Amino acid sequence: MRTIPTPALFRWFVLALLASLLSACGYNDFQKKDEAVKAAWGEVVNQYQRRADLIPNLVATVKGYASHERETLEAVTKARAQATSIQVTPETLNDPEAFARFQQAQGQLTSALSRLLAVAENYPNLKADAAFRDLQSQLEGTENRITVARQRYIAAVQDYNVLARSFPTNLTAMVFKYPVKPSFTVENEKAISTPPAVKF
């Protein structure tokens, strides 16, 4: 004669089954990887802010030597204002359009800074100024930190996106709305894929 399991034993069995299903679905992995992406993104934003904080001093130093380069100085100031006006929140990571706007603003700032540093090459007294050299060194260090922070963010996003797109965790991603996150891209991929022309 077969025995029927008691209701308490049956409940424990159902709870154990649900717990094993939840651990196998990848929900906890999504939590860890989502937090890793947010932390990596926070470091990217932190380094961009560090760069933005250096710019006013750099512009003021260059202005003292090259005040007639007004157009370049204004372009840097405008690009900085544009880059810092974009509100960056964790939701930015789930909005490809907002992410692209942020990336474009940072790219414009990088371009304006490059032009400013190129202008500085025309002024030997400016290049010899200790304050300018110190700011330029800090800016170069910050650019390196930005590169490292972006690499870490890209790796965290790749790890997250693999989880979001792999079976069976992609089902969990659909149910709990964990979309694939955007990653950094090169602004003009076509231009950089063309080998440079070397002329002697």
Side-chain angles (χ1 to χ4, degrees), residues 71-72 75-76 79 108-120:
E71 186 177 312
T72 303
V76 172
Q108 289 170 347
L109 181 54
T110 299
S111 177
L113 276 173
S114 296
R115 287 192 304 275
L116 178 67
L117 293 175
V119 162

Side-chain angles (χ1 to χ4, degrees), residues 64-184:
Y65 288 91
S67 58
H68 60 282
E69 299 284 356
R70 194 183 70 185
E71 186 177 312
T72 303
L73 296 169
E74 286 175 358
V76 172
T77 304
K78 182 180 176 187
R80 179 189 182 272
Q82 171 90 21
T84 57
S85 71
I86 296 175
Q87 294 297 315
V88 180
T89 63
E91 289 73 35
T92 304
L93 300 178
N94 296 324
D95 183 352
E97 290 175 10
F99 189 86
R101 282 193 303 273
F102 175 79
Q103 190 174 353
Q104 181 182 22
Q106 293 300 331
Q108 289 170 347
L109 181 54
T110 299
S111 177
L113 276 173
S114 296
R115 287 192 304 275
L116 178 67
L117 293 175
V119 162
E121 290 296 315
N122 297 326
Y123 298 91
N125 290 342
L126 173 61
K127 287 176 19 182
D129 183 274
F132 177 77
R133 285 196 323 266
D134 181 51
L135 286 167
Q136 190 174 19
S137 175
Q138 287 183 49
L139 191 60
E140 287 169 3
T142 300
E143 291 296 335
N144 289 336
R145 289 177 180 169
I146 288 170
T147 300
V148 170
R150 284 175 56 144
Q151 287 170 342
R152 289 180 182 156
Y153 173 78
I154 289 166
V157 166
Q158 178 185 12
D159 200 26
Y160 171 92
N161 285 347
V162 166
L163 183 69
R165 297 179 69 199
S166 300
F167 183 81
T169 53
N170 65 339
L171 301 174
T172 303
M174 285 189 293
V175 170
F176 291 102
K177 295 186 177 27
Y178 285 109
V180 171
K181 295 189 184 294
S183 190
F184 282 105

